[in-house]
Amino acid sequence: MVSWNFDWYMLGAIMLLCLCSFLTRCSYMLFGDKFPLSDGVRSALRYAPVAALVGIIIPELIPLSANPALIINSRAIAAVVAVILYLRTSNALYVILGGMVALWVIDLLRNVVF
Amino acid sequence: MLFKQINQFFRSITSAQKRAFLAGLREAVTPLIAVGTWGFVTGIAMVKSGLTEGMAVLMTLLVYAGSAQLTALPLIESGAPLWLIFAAGMVVNVRFIIFGAALQPYFRHLSKPKLGVLSFLISDIGFVIFMSRYGGSKRVGTNQQLWYFLGILVPGWVVWNASSIIGVYMGGLVPQSWSLEFAATLALLAIVVPLVKTQPMVLCLIIAGSVAWVTQNLPLRLGLAVAVIAGVAAGVIGEKYASREKRRIHG
């Protein structure tokens, strides 16, 4: 029963995300002649993706905790390494590869040292 | 019947169109490596978040928006309400509205069905590569521009979906200790960092990040909604302040 409900939930989520893709990708291309966006709205919209992505990333990297050992964790450090790599190379691929390698190295060191 | 039509279509492609398509493809080759990696990671992440393989393939083909998928996965995993998943997907995808507004003059002459298909293929790299070549051009809506764009978008669609499906089925072979799910977070990071180029954008990042950190234990992942509102407000206010500063210095 539970898994049946879960599947409908999943399917609903996928369909709604498909609708998201359709609405955002196609609406302006298809009907843009009829809906000019004001400059104010356009500039505000520029910030939404960054805010949303950061809003997802930060809780994945840094748990809310009074314990500083959890705040400065290997994932957060690896992410910092990844960002520095991007700023040096401007290659998005290095963010993924560099961040992963950094995480493995940090975890390995932690296992060896402690 | 269909085969005949397809055959006719391929025979009707002129050599100029072919050249434009290949020119687009050449520009796209390096970014496509990143797209492939990211697609593979997204494929793995979907299965790791509890989607069945069938559902994961369905999601890849129907949604075709990596950052929206990766954003939705933690929400789906924690059983967030569907409206929040929809709202988060819309917010992350909002950049496509901006892309659409910028690209629309180039393709408005196409028929609605063709335009619908073309716009569903729009991707971040497609937009960036196309605009860096044709963003300043005086003539818009040429056949060359369309085929150049297709040369980036069509291979992009193929690479993304293929790598994603490979990730769905082969991801299980990757050992747990490699923490590959972290690559999904890194992929999101790889989209954010290039976007943060101006001071108001930095402000938006700091405010959205701080708010998201403090509010991460709110029920239904409502912290995300709060972070978006705070981040957009910070960006807009920061922009106003920056332009006032500029006027003060130059005026």
Side-chain angles (χ1 to χ4, degrees), chain B residues 27 32-34 47 114 157 210 239 250:
Chain B
E27 292 293 320
L32 282 182
I33 299 170
V47 176
K114 277 186 185 167
W157 189 88
S210 319
E239 201 172 289
H250 296 290

Side-chain angles (χ1 to χ4, degrees), chain A residues 9 21 25 33 47 75 104, chain B residues 63-64 80 122 178 181 239:
Chain A
Y9 170 73
S21 285
R25 277 200 170 103
D33 288 329
Y47 297 100
R75 286 179 176 228
W104 294 331
Chain B
V63 181
Y64 186 51
I122 293 172
W178 289 15
E181 71 285 350
E239 201 172 289

Side-chain angles (χ1 to χ4, degrees), chain A residues 55-70:
Chain A
I56 286 287
I57 293 168
I58 290 295
E60 300 266 321
L61 291 180
I62 324 169
L64 186 59
S65 162
N67 182 357
L70 283 175

Side-chain angles (χ1 to χ4, degrees), chain B residues 88-201:
Chain B
M90 284 302 281
V91 170
V92 174
N93 271 353
V94 118
R95 67 187 190 285
F96 287 127
I97 298 180
I98 301 162
F99 294 174
L103 291 168
Q104 193 247 359
Y106 293 84
F107 304 108
R108 58 194 294 181
H109 61 285
L110 295 173
S111 70
K112 293 267 147 132
K114 277 186 185 167
L115 205 49
V117 173
L118 180 76
S119 42
F120 204 81
L121 295 179
I122 293 172
S123 60
D124 299 79
I125 61 150
F127 174 75
V128 171
I129 296 172
F130 181 84
M131 288 314 272
S132 59
R133 165 124 182 203
Y134 288 115
S137 72
K138 295 228 161 48
R139 284 186 62 207
V140 296
T142 66
N143 204 249
Q144 191 188 6
Q145 289 167 346
L146 173 64
W147 283 84
Y148 179 81
F149 202 30
L150 286 174
I152 309 164
L153 296 187
V154 174
W157 189 88
V158 172
V159 168
W160 170 266
N161 283 297
S163 60
S164 214
I165 291 170
I166 293 170
V168 167
Y169 287 100
M170 310 285 280
L173 301 177
V174 179
Q176 187 73 43
S177 63
W178 289 15
S179 317
L180 258 193
E181 71 285 350
F182 184 56
T185 310
L186 290 170
L188 290 180
L189 202 61
I191 315 169
V192 176
V193 181
L195 292 176
V196 183
K197 278 184 186 146
T198 61
Q199 278 177 355
M201 213 52 115

